[in-house]
Amino acid sequence: MPAAVTIEPFSSHHAEQIFDLILPIQEQEFGIKITRADQPDLAQISEFYQQGNGNFWAAVADGRVVGSVGLKDIGNRQLALRKMFVNAEYRGKDKGVARTLLDVSKQWAKERKAADIFLGTTAQFLAAHRFYEKNGFIEIDKEILSPAFPVMAVDSKFYWYRV
């Protein structure tokens, strides 16, 4: 049985483990050809995410990062949800890690009086699509995104949530 999970705001001691969580999921599970160098935001989480109304969180179990999520302040009371990943061992409704990370993000946005959260994901992440839809996100066309939204090359599906 997996260890209990706590959600912590990102700190520099999480940095290497964030890479160790995200890269294998992207590369091995979903076959996305992406490297550390392709994701400079992960090398500068504090500077990229923890500015304005943004933040980044790590889900931690037994001192190990098992999940992540970031909110990037893109101005105009809008946020971009990015880097939502959970280790396979900690996935599933019964574990609640993804839901807790998303709830922490949504609560943060609400407390900061954000209006909207946007996110982009890939077509391969079918379980993620269902998860976001079950949690109040609505699929939208790319053209509806805020012009400030940081679209990743692999993004092909987009969602919106009214805070």
Side-chain angles (χ1 to χ4, degrees):
M1 181 166 165
V5 175
T6 59
I7 309 300
E8 304 173 3
F10 172 82
S11 178
S12 59
H13 74 274
H14 297 122
E16 196 58 34
Q17 288 189 51
I18 296 288
F19 273 115
D20 293 345
L21 167 74
I22 293 174
L23 280 173
I25 294 171
Q26 292 171 321
E27 295 172 332
Q28 296 160 20
E29 287 187 46
F30 295 102
I32 297 170
K33 300 219 181 288
I34 193 166
T35 66
R36 278 177 93 123
D38 296 326
Q39 303 175 81
D41 59 317
L42 291 180
Q44 302 176 2
I45 289 174
S46 293
E47 296 83 358
F48 191 84
Y49 291 99
Q50 294 176 311
Q51 303 297 318
N53 287 322
N55 207 346
F56 196 98
W57 296 269
V60 179
D62 280 339
R64 182 173 65 111
V65 173
V66 298
S68 67
V69 67
L71 284 176
K72 166 91 173 140
D73 186 337
I74 58 173
N76 201 30
R77 296 180 49 226
Q78 297 177 324
L79 301 165
L81 187 130
R82 297 183 49 169
K83 304 301 182 189
M84 176 117 180
F85 289 95
V86 176
N87 176 290
E89 185 181 342
Y90 289 84
R91 288 183 202 150
K93 189 176 184 177
D94 59 321
K95 313 275 187 336
V97 176
R99 176 68 189 264
T100 302
L101 283 164
L102 188 61
D103 287 349
V104 165
S105 302
K106 288 161 76 174
Q107 184 61 36
W108 175 271
K110 184 177 181 181
E111 288 169 3
R112 275 138 194 86
K113 300 185 179 1
D116 307 291
I117 300 173
F118 295 98
L119 71 88
T121 188
T122 69
Q124 295 102 302
F125 292 178
L126 300 178
H129 305 163
R130 288 189 301 274
F131 171 75
Y132 292 127
E133 290 164 7
K134 285 180 184 175
N135 284 284
F137 283 78
I138 298 167
E139 185 175 356
I140 59 171
D141 291 330
K142 184 177 181 180
E143 295 73 35
I144 296 173
L145 288 171
S146 163
F149 182 83
V151 177
M152 300 284 294
V154 296
D155 290 343
S156 58
K157 285 183 74 87
F158 302 92
Y159 288 90
W160 165 76
Y161 177 81
R162 169 63 85 187
V163 181

